[in-house]
Amino acid sequence: MSTATVLGFGARTPQRVLDVLSRAVTDHGVVSIDAQRSQNVELALCEAPYRVFAENDSQLEKKEPPNVLIYCLPTSVTEYLGFSQEASAVRSKLLNDNNTVVALYDPKSDGIVGGDSTLVLSAIGGDAVAKSTLAAASLSSLSQLDQLAAAQLGPEKRQDVVIVVGSGGREHALAVALAKSPLVGSVICCPGNGGTAVEGGKISNASDVDGKQDNNTVLALVKRVGAAMVVVGPEAPLVDGLVDEMAAAFPDVRVFGPTKAAAELEASKAFTKDFLQEHGIPTAKYRNFTDAAEAIAYVESLDENDRQVVKASGLAAGKGVLLPTTKEETIAAVKEIMSDRAFGAAGDTCVIESFMKGPEASCLAFCDGNTAVLMPAAQDHKRALDNDEGLNTGGMGAYAPAPCVTPDLQKEIEAMCIKTVEKMAERGTPYVGVLYAGMMLTPDGPSVLEFNCRFGDPETQVVLPLLETDLYEVLMACCDGTLQSVDVRFKENTAAATIVCAAKGYPESYPKGMAIEGLDAANAIENVKVYHAGTKVAEDDVTRCSGGRVLAVTGLGKNLKYALQAAYQGVSLLDFIGSEGEHLMHFRTDIAKGAKHKKLRLGVLGSTRGTALIPIIEACASGELHAEIVAVVSNKKSAPILEKGRALGVTVTTKFISSKGLSRAQYDAECTATLLGAGVEFVLLIGYMRILSKPFTDFWAGRCINVHPSLLPKHAGGMDLAVHQAVLDAGEEETGCTIHQVTEAVDGGPIVIQKKVKVEAGDTAESLKAKVQPLEGPAFIEAIRMQCGGETISYADAGVSIDAGNQLIDLIKPACKATRRAGCDADLGGFGGLFDLAAAGYDSANTVLIGATDGVGTKLRIAQSMKKHESVGIDLVAMCVNDLIVAGGEPLFFLDYYATGQLHVEEAAAVVRGIAEGCVQAGCGLIGGETAEMPSMYAPGDYDLAGFSVGAVHRDRILPQGVCAGDTLLGLPSSGIHSNGFSLVRKLIAKEGLEFESPCPWDDAPTIGDSLLTPTKIYVKSCLPLIKGGLLKGLAHITGGGLVENLPRSLPSGVGAEISGHPSLPSVFKWMQNASGLDDNEMLRTLNCGIGMVLILDISNVAAAKQLLNEAGEVIVYDLGALVEGEGVTVTTKLA
């Protein structure tokens, strides 16, 4: 299958590249699109006019096209250096891969390097000249980048000095991000904090500023250090006009931040409200007041239930917003701000606005005076205590990206920010810097709460670690008005969480001077960074607390769960220790709790009335379901289900999508784009009258369910009344509905839920529909509840029965007890089995332990087919303990592993009883085992076995020892095929047209299966007396590979075997040889051919050995031959 790889596009989705990709799929048969570091490409391709999935099912009957690689050229040297491996991979493809068409996209010219879209498509179509033209141009562009990179890495490389104004955690995060740029030589923090003082590398605190950050101090520092850029952290210097003074004093120095006039967006809430209203940017209904009496009169005129928010218009250190709940409290809030002047001059103007409901989001945007680029939305926690209790603070934690801000909302909020920047430019106050929009996601859509003119804290500490693009280049582009030329990228599939560690008592009175412990340990954790705020390095070189919010610990992870785990792991290592040894650190333990347990976002595809949607809507509204419907899409313009979607409000995407002129996959791609844009996580098909394409079902695999009006798999493929009539025609006694996962096979996906009703005499198709249809909504609710976690899903729900496991233990205990021996009690139920070597008669100082593990192989298929399970338990033990005895070891204990898709207690008990019998025959204790029930791993009726055995041998009796030419070989007969070679055996039986239940053609067993299930012979009690008597030099267990392969494993180099007394083949092996056509040599290297164990001994010990073997029950002992000088095994007798 051919693949088109899209590399390095970040947030870009250039039209000409999307056109090439879509036509590569639709016209040339490319099957897969692999978007690497190109997070928006897949969604953009699903949208009109492209309507292409990343994974497709090409039906084109033509030669398979080549692979395609489209690489987005970096817009800067720093990006090229940061991802140099990408350019290397592209160069390698160009030089070494003849089956890949490579094209480069240049974002600066918005074009294909060396050609255009047509040239790329020609190359994909097999035009060698087009491919060569693209390759030559691509190599040339990469060489130019190499030259630029070499210059930056050379002795005259650019090393700018950047000043960061401020002393908080925000400024620490800015300094760390800026220092990563290869264009930056040093970052000087003015005044900085204890963290930036010891960060090291490029980062340091300004000297001789005495903790000040006023305009004069900054201007003097710029002159002293020759700064190339000043980045302003807090709002106060901006409102005080630092940017304006810098422009006048140092016109060549870039300053990242708005002018005093532009900073009015934060300095005056009244100005901002008027600005938003004037330009049609959504915000709450409001009134501005400069007279307290007028403000109170306005409040008194409002309805009792019309809740208001009261704000001091000016800067009030983040504390000038009051949230009264009654009219009386609102009036008191007005008086506090305007009459009592609680916030000083900031309250000279008071803003009273309607209280808005919904989740809040902190949305920060880079702005260059012309446009804006939105960063991932964050959510912070203002209250001091868990569960959003306690006093308001500057922020106790944050996380990003905020799940509540969907891709569509992200676009909508970014458009608001862009409009704000454009309108500020029109009024002559261009906005450069960060625009921090506090957004309320109301039922009527996103609405602006307020603007801040700087980075947020602690939002900066979660957003900047997600930034992939060089921050310094982004800030330079903002200052130069060229933001559109930089692709501002953020890390894909990564989340960040920040936990603020504060001094106990904050935000009220709190202690200072505590020693901070654990900083190095916390920073040493992978994906954790500790940012400092209220810290200083004391004269004793100890970092100590100097403020209320002291540290911000940020963790990164592949999702929010892992990011939080990392952050809290860092916090767990930190502490603030007072002078008396007291612990004085406070932090919230519930950051992002709501996001971790967010509602499941449901999308609905429907074509009809959508009756089953009504109970789902009600269950979501009542809280019965921890879910919300966010999109309703229909292929019918007049479908009543669309009205149900519109009734849910404007925040629910309700859309008719026409299928006219579109293939099934194209239509499904556009639907998918709509669902993804709304943030849909789980799709419901409710009366959806379309067959879905394979790309759709693959994309939403496991995340899309449908309802069918019968008890599937019965009557699959039918619809509506026809299904109910089919139930009646079949004379069925019950019917119902089925919720099933949607797959390519119509009505063929895994069943999730079924609801049943009785079919009664006199029922018609219409009456059955009337019975079944009311079941569909509740069935959907049950299925959704299982998906969203509103209901505890037990092991039983997953197909695993704990009760069956307990019942099995009760059944097998007696069998296990029967295996007791000295050294173990063979009891079950503990976490591990114990064995006492001393009690078994072994001196631990001179004892060597031997371990062996094995399985039964495909012989299990015969047991499962015949439903006879006890003998394979003996096989399992035999395959392990026979290997132990070969090393001279006495088997001491045994453990088993039984894995199945569904635990059938009697079946499993039969297997374990067989294991116990094998242990009795081997003289070892069955001291433990594991039963694993894994529905997703094994088909119904299947199980697998593994055995583990440990034995012991005196150090001077380990076998083999002293084996040499002239030694005698004795053979002990096998009981049959044992447990090896059954893949061949099963194939031969099928070849002969027989089944396991067929009469046995080679012996008196009732069936072939009965004969083949004869258990493997256990040789422990036969051989152990000879080992203890010192009669044996070695043993060989004849398993897979037969005598020819296994005997040499026990022989030293230079010694071979001459077999002159091999017995004739037992009847089962004769049948196998005739059926297979194998000659004697192949039989001997494939099956045991009647010999299960070979004994190696001195000729002088043969008589004594045979006597002991006879006493142990070995009636037949074969004189096989002798060892000779040489290599390998030679058999001189015929097997027939």
Side-chain angles (χ1 to χ4, degrees):
M1 295 191 305
S2 58
T3 298
T5 300
V6 195
L7 180 61
F9 280 80
R12 288 192 177 96
T13 54
Q15 179 178 337
R16 65 189 70 253
V17 173
L18 296 177
D19 183 58
V20 167
L21 292 170
S22 63
R23 291 182 61 187
V25 171
T26 57
D27 298 349
H28 295 279
V30 169
V31 172
S32 176
I33 296 172
D34 181 15
Q36 299 179 15
R37 218 165 57 84
S38 306
Q39 61 262 38
N40 290 343
V41 166
E42 288 190 20
L43 176 57
L45 280 171
C46 282
E47 296 172 340
Y50 310 106
R51 302 183 180 94
V52 168
F53 281 99
E55 297 293 333
N56 298 276
D57 186 22
S58 177
Q59 303 295 324
L60 295 179
E61 296 181 2
K62 57 171 63 177
K63 179 182 176 183
E64 182 175 329
N67 293 320
V68 181
L69 171 60
I70 305 180
Y71 174 53
C72 182
L73 282 172
T75 55
S76 67
V77 174
T78 56
E79 184 186 348
Y80 182 64
L81 292 172
F83 296 94
S84 58
Q85 73 280 4
E86 292 182 349
S88 297
V90 173
R91 187 179 285 105
S92 177
K93 287 286 184 184
L94 284 164
L95 297 174
N96 303 314
D97 189 344
N98 292 326
N99 193 43
T100 299
V101 172
V102 179
L104 271 56
Y105 170 76
D106 184 0
K108 292 181 179 179
S109 63
D110 186 26
I112 300 295
V113 174
D116 55 16
S117 303
T118 302
L119 191 68
V120 179
L121 291 168
S122 296
I124 296 172
D127 186 333
V129 174
K131 180 183 176 184
S132 177
T133 301
L134 290 169
S138 298
L139 286 169
S140 176
S141 291
L142 292 175
S143 296
Q144 292 174 24
L145 281 172
D146 287 340
Q147 293 171 13
L148 292 172
Q152 176 55 33
L153 294 172
E156 298 182 3
K157 63 182 180 181
R158 181 174 174 180
Q159 292 285 272
D160 290 353
V161 176
V162 180
I163 294 172
V164 175
V165 179
S167 61
R170 164 184 53 211
E171 287 73 36
H172 191 178
L174 283 165
V176 169
L178 287 165
K180 292 178 180 178
S181 173
L183 303 180
V184 172
S186 63
V187 180
I188 301 172
C189 299
C190 177
N193 55 43
T196 52
V198 299
E199 183 71 37
K202 299 178 182 179
I203 300 172
S204 63
N205 286 350
S207 59
D208 303 324
V209 298
D210 196 26
K212 294 185 291 186
Q213 60 185 39
D214 59 89
N215 293 4
N216 290 334
T217 299
V218 174
L219 290 166
L221 180 62
V222 170
K223 183 176 182 180
R224 188 165 77 245
V225 302
M229 178 184 285
V230 174
V231 180
V232 186
E235 68 275 11
L238 298 170
V239 174
D240 289 343
L242 175 59
V243 175
D244 306 79
E245 292 188 37
M246 281 289 304
F250 304 103
D252 295 331
V253 176
R254 296 180 174 95
V255 185
F256 183 76
T259 62
K260 183 174 183 177
E264 191 77 359
L265 283 173
E266 179 168 1
S268 172
K269 293 180 178 63
F271 167 81
T272 299
K273 296 296 286 190
D274 289 343
F275 176 90
L276 293 169
Q277 181 173 270
E278 178 184 353
H279 298 295
I281 300 171
T283 190
K285 176 185 173 183
Y286 75 100
R287 288 278 300 274
N288 296 330
F289 296 94
T290 55
D291 181 83
E294 288 183 17
I296 292 170
Y298 170 72
V299 173
E300 288 176 336
S301 70
L302 297 172
D303 184 90
E304 283 289 343
N305 297 320
D306 191 358
R307 186 178 174 187
Q308 301 292 302
V309 178
V310 184
K311 300 179 178 180
S313 177
L315 296 177
K319 299 176 182 178
V321 178
L322 304 180
L323 302 172
T325 58
T326 66
K327 183 178 287 190
E328 291 74 19
E329 290 178 0
T330 305
I331 292 171
V334 171
K335 291 178 179 178
E336 182 179 352
I337 291 174
M338 303 193 73
S339 302
D340 301 341
R341 298 182 62 79
F343 305 105
D348 287 349
T349 299
C350 177
V351 179
I352 302 175
E353 67 180 30
S354 297
F355 180 83
M356 294 188 290
K357 294 181 180 179
E360 290 186 43
S362 300
C363 300
L364 283 66
F366 292 113
C367 306
D368 71 346
N370 304 303
T371 190
V373 174
L374 195 64
M375 305 177 213
Q379 287 188 292
D380 70 343
H381 296 256
K382 292 297 187 187
R383 299 282 186 171
L385 306 177
D386 284 358
N387 301 314
D388 288 328
E389 296 176 354
L391 298 174
N392 261 343
T393 70
M396 293 300 295
Y399 55 92
C404 60
V405 179
T406 65
D408 283 354
L409 285 175
Q410 182 87 358
K411 292 178 183 177
E412 192 172 352
I413 294 168
E414 183 174 64
M416 292 182 188
C417 294
I418 291 172
K419 187 173 184 179
T420 298
V421 172
E422 290 173 345
K423 295 304 179 183
M424 287 292 285
E426 288 178 10
R427 67 187 298 273
T429 55
Y431 191 95
V432 174
V434 164
L435 181 65
Y436 173 175
M439 303 298 300
M440 181 70 79
L441 308 181
T442 76
D444 296 321
S447 184
V448 178
L449 285 167
E450 62 180 3
F451 283 136
N452 295 311
C453 60
R454 36 71 188 180
F455 280 100
D457 188 340
E459 289 88 351
T460 306
Q461 292 92 307
V462 288
V463 173
L464 285 188
L466 297 175
L467 182 65
E468 191 173 87
T469 308
D470 184 325
L471 177 63
Y472 186 53
E473 288 202 333
V474 175
L475 302 192
M476 285 194 296
C478 289
C479 296
D480 297 345
T482 58
L483 185 57
Q484 285 186 326
S485 69
V486 176
D487 183 24
V488 183
R489 310 178 186 205
F490 293 85
K491 296 172 183 174
E492 298 179 55
N493 303 315
T494 306
T498 289
I499 316 300
V500 170
C501 299
K504 274 194 176 176
Y506 174 80
E508 298 184 297
S509 61
Y510 52 84
K512 295 182 180 180
M514 300 86 76
I516 304 175
E517 293 186 348
L519 287 169
D520 290 342
N523 272 319
I525 299 172
E526 186 178 7
N527 294 324
V528 171
K529 176 63 182 175
V530 181
Y531 297 109
H532 292 235
T535 69
K536 65 178 182 179
V537 179
E539 294 179 359
D540 56 3
D541 288 332
V542 174
T543 303
R544 297 184 179 274
C545 303
S546 62
R549 290 192 298 164
V550 180
L551 303 171
V553 183
T554 296
L556 297 180
K558 63 182 181 181
N559 56 35
L560 184 55
K561 173 185 173 182
Y562 288 99
L564 285 165
Q565 285 178 355
Y568 275 115
Q569 184 184 359
V571 170
S572 71
L573 300 176
L574 298 168
D575 204 355
F576 304 161
I577 306 299
S579 57
E580 302 298 324
E582 62 271 47
H583 303 281
L584 298 173
M585 186 176 83
H586 165 68
F587 62 92
R588 282 184 58 163
T589 65
D590 64 344
I591 299 302
K593 180 180 178 181
K596 283 192 299 182
H597 303 292
K598 66 183 181 69
K599 293 181 177 180
L600 181 69
R601 301 177 66 87
L602 303 175
V604 178
L605 297 179
S607 308
T608 57
R609 299 183 62 83
T611 304
L613 183 58
I614 296 172
I616 300 171
I617 293 172
E618 293 172 347
C620 290
S622 68
E624 179 185 352
L625 279 178
H626 193 64
E628 57 182 335
I629 297 167
V630 297
V632 178
V633 177
S634 180
N635 62 319
K636 301 290 185 182
K637 190 172 186 179
S638 59
I641 197 171
L642 290 174
E643 290 304 317
K644 294 177 175 64
R646 294 185 188 102
L648 293 172
V650 297
T651 56
V652 174
T653 299
T654 303
K655 188 174 183 180
F656 156 67
I657 299 177
S658 173
S659 60
K660 186 176 181 180
L662 302 180
S663 69
R664 185 182 299 169
Q666 287 175 326
Y667 182 81
D668 290 347
E670 187 169 346
C671 288
T672 293
T674 299
L675 296 172
L676 291 176
V680 168
E681 299 166 314
F682 198 69
V683 180
L684 314 178
L685 305 186
I686 298 181
Y688 194 51
M689 311 300 283
R690 283 182 59 86
I691 302 298
L692 294 164
S693 63
K694 185 177 186 296
F696 181 95
T697 58
D698 288 348
F699 184 92
W700 292 100
R703 299 180 295 148
C704 181
I705 58 176
N706 190 16
V707 63
H708 186 76
S710 76
L711 299 177
L712 292 175
K714 297 178 180 178
H715 313 300
M719 298 181 70
D720 202 29
L721 290 175
V723 174
H724 300 300
Q725 187 60 52
V727 170
L728 294 171
D729 293 343
E732 293 168 7
E733 296 181 354
E734 64 178 5
T735 186
C737 66
T738 300
I739 303 292
H740 63 92
Q741 291 184 18
V742 176
T743 63
E744 182 185 13
V746 177
D747 298 331
I751 292 171
V752 180
I753 292 287
Q754 288 189 322
K755 296 285 186 182
K756 300 178 181 180
V757 294
K758 293 291 183 184
V759 178
E760 297 174 324
D763 267 329
T764 63
E766 289 77 9
S767 66
L768 281 186
K769 178 177 179 179
K771 287 181 179 181
V772 171
Q773 197 168 55
L775 301 177
E776 294 178 357
F780 264 122
I781 290 170
E782 270 192 55
I784 296 165
R785 187 182 294 119
M786 291 173 66
Q787 180 70 23
C788 69
E791 175 185 273
T792 301
I793 300 177
S794 68
Y795 256 144
D797 294 321
V800 180
S801 174
I802 295 174
D803 292 337
N806 292 333
Q807 184 184 352
L808 173 62
I809 290 174
D810 291 338
L811 282 175
I812 65 177
K813 275 185 176 179
C816 294
K817 287 285 188 184
T819 69
R820 279 178 173 163
R821 59 154 291 159
C824 72
D825 63 7
D827 203 0
L828 300 181
F831 287 99
L834 304 178
F835 191 93
D836 186 342
L837 276 175
Y842 285 92
D843 173 11
S844 60
N846 294 301
T847 299
V848 175
L849 294 180
I850 310 166
T853 183
D854 211 330
V856 181
T858 57
K859 189 173 184 178
L860 291 176
R861 286 290 186 203
I862 302 173
Q864 291 159 5
S865 176
M866 298 290 293
K867 301 190 183 303
K868 295 181 178 181
H869 307 283
E870 290 202 9
S871 63
V872 291
I874 300 174
D875 287 308
L876 183 67
V877 177
M879 296 305 293
C880 295
V881 298
N882 286 344
D883 284 348
L884 288 182
I885 200 73
V886 166
E890 176 188 4
L892 301 178
F893 60 84
F894 190 88
L895 302 100
D896 68 87
Y897 178 79
Y898 179 96
T900 182
Q902 182 177 3
L903 182 59
H904 297 285
V905 174
E906 287 297 337
E907 183 178 283
V911 172
V912 177
R913 284 194 294 268
I915 293 171
E917 172 58 27
C919 287
V920 170
Q921 293 181 25
C924 63
L926 178 55
I927 66 171
E930 171 70 9
T931 302
E933 190 174 11
M934 298 180 285
S936 61
M937 293 290 289
Y938 294 91
D942 283 0
Y943 62 81
D944 198 6
L945 299 176
F948 312 89
S949 187
V950 172
V953 61
H954 196 275
R955 194 176 301 277
D956 61 7
R957 290 181 179 173
I958 298 173
L959 299 181
Q961 56 176 276
V963 175
C964 61
D967 287 339
T968 296
L969 301 175
L970 300 180
L972 300 182
S974 66
S975 57
I977 297 176
H978 285 183
S979 296
N980 294 101
F982 274 89
S983 294
L984 172 61
V985 170
R986 290 166 52 235
K987 189 167 186 177
L988 292 177
I989 290 169
K991 171 180 171 289
E992 296 297 311
L994 300 173
E995 297 178 348
F996 298 133
E997 294 79 8
S998 301
C1000 185
W1002 57 75
D1003 61 27
D1004 295 334
T1007 66
I1008 289 176
D1010 288 313
S1011 178
L1012 294 177
L1013 287 176
T1014 301
T1016 303
K1017 185 175 177 180
I1018 294 175
Y1019 297 95
V1020 173
K1021 291 184 177 178
S1022 301
C1023 297
L1024 197 57
L1026 280 69
I1027 294 171
K1028 291 184 175 180
L1031 300 178
L1032 293 181
K1033 288 187 172 185
L1035 291 163
H1037 184 200
I1038 310 305
T1039 58
L1043 182 70
V1044 173
E1045 298 292 334
N1046 284 288
L1047 180 54
R1049 295 167 63 188
S1050 295
L1051 303 181
S1053 177
V1055 177
E1058 187 174 287
I1059 307 299
S1060 56
H1062 198 290
S1064 298
L1065 288 177
S1067 58
V1068 62
F1069 294 103
K1070 287 181 181 178
W1071 188 92
M1072 297 295 166
Q1073 186 174 35
N1074 291 333
S1076 65
L1078 295 175
D1079 60 24
D1080 285 0
N1081 187 56
E1082 284 301 312
M1083 288 291 290
L1084 286 167
R1085 63 186 295 132
T1086 305
L1087 301 166
N1088 70 60
C1089 294
I1091 301 295
M1093 185 70 74
V1094 176
L1095 287 61
I1096 307 170
L1097 64 167
D1098 189 277
I1099 192 170
S1100 63
N1101 293 325
V1102 170
K1106 286 185 175 180
Q1107 182 178 344
L1108 288 175
L1109 289 169
N1110 289 334
E1111 291 173 359
E1114 294 289 351
V1115 177
I1116 300 174
V1117 178
Y1118 297 110
D1119 292 304
L1120 286 181
L1123 298 184
V1124 295
E1125 292 182 356
E1127 299 285 347
V1129 177
T1130 303
V1131 181
T1132 60
T1133 54
K1134 291 289 185 181
L1135 300 184

